[in-house]
Amino acid sequence: MKSNGFTLIELMIVVAIIAFLAVLTVPHLSRYRSKAYQAEVAMNLASLHTAQQAYFAQNGHYTTNLNGPDGLAWKPAGYQSGGKNENFYYTYGFNTGDAKEGVNYFTGKLNTPKEALGQTMAANETFVAGAAGDLSGKNKPDVWHINENRKLDNTQNGID
C-alpha cells in the first residue's frame, strides 16, 4: 500500500533540525541588531557635535544645555518626554550633577539612566558628550563619547 504523507517521526526530525538551526542563528541576529543601534549612536553624536560647534562659533564656549534656554536646540529626532515610547534607543547628553531630562540629556527606549553616560562635560574650549544603552539587559551599557575634535570612542563595549 502506497502512502502519500509523512510519518510522525519524519516530521519530528524536521522540527528538531529547524529548532537546532534557530538556536545557532539567534545570537548572531541579536549582535546585528546591536550593531544597527550603534549606527544610530554615530549619527546622533555627530549631529550633537555639529550643534556644539555652531554654538561655540556664536558664543565662544560649549554648553551642557542641549535644549531649552541658552541651549543648542538639539534633541534626538522624535523626542517626546523620554523612556520606552521613544523612537531612539540610547540615552544621549551630559551627566552633570543637576542634569535635567529634556535639557541636559534625553533618555531613549532602552531606559538607560544618565549615570551610565560616564564622564561628560562642557567647558570654554572643550566638551565630551555621551551616549549609553544597555543593549544586553545585563547592566553593562554600551557607552560612546564624542569630543570637540569629533573623536568618537566606544569607551565601554556593551555588546556581548
Side-chain angles (χ1 to χ4, degrees):
M1 178 173 206
K2 187 175 178 183
S3 128
N4 290 334
F6 296 106
T7 66
L8 184 58
I9 298 292
E10 291 170 331
L11 289 174
M12 289 175 60
I13 289 172
V14 169
V15 168
I17 291 170
I18 291 171
F20 177 73
L21 292 174
V23 165
L24 291 177
T25 59
V26 167
H28 296 292
L29 292 176
S30 66
R31 182 165 298 219
Y32 289 126
R33 185 188 74 205
S34 297
K35 292 285 186 186
Y37 293 163
Q38 287 182 333
E40 169 199 297
V41 169
M43 284 184 359
N44 279 332
L45 286 180
S47 170
L48 193 153
H49 175 270
T50 302
Q52 280 281 26
Q53 295 299 48
Y55 184 89
F56 182 83
Q58 289 179 344
N59 300 291
H61 64 90
Y62 294 108
T63 182
T64 59
N65 290 345
L66 301 176
N67 197 24
D70 194 37
L72 303 176
W74 182 89
K75 58 185 173 180
Y79 176 75
Q80 296 165 11
S81 62
K84 296 197 181 286
N85 294 325
E86 295 298 340
N87 293 328
F88 57 96
Y89 290 88
Y90 280 66
T91 296
Y92 295 95
F94 294 95
N95 177 23
T96 58
D98 59 346
K100 295 178 184 81
E101 171 76 38
V103 176
N104 306 103
Y105 68 94
F106 302 95
T107 306
K109 192 176 281 198
L110 295 172
N111 233 8
T112 307
K114 71 174 174 72
E115 290 75 20
L117 294 171
Q119 298 294 321
T120 56
M121 52 72 83
N124 286 336
E125 296 186 13
T126 185
F127 79 89
V128 176
D134 188 6
L135 299 173
S136 65
K138 297 178 182 176
N139 289 330
K140 182 186 175 198
D142 190 41
V143 181
W144 292 78
H145 289 118
I146 194 165
N147 67 14
E148 71 281 356
N149 297 318
R150 203 178 185 122
K151 183 177 180 208
L152 183 63
D153 284 324
N154 186 202
T155 54
Q156 179 174 306
N157 190 351
I159 297 178
D160 292 327

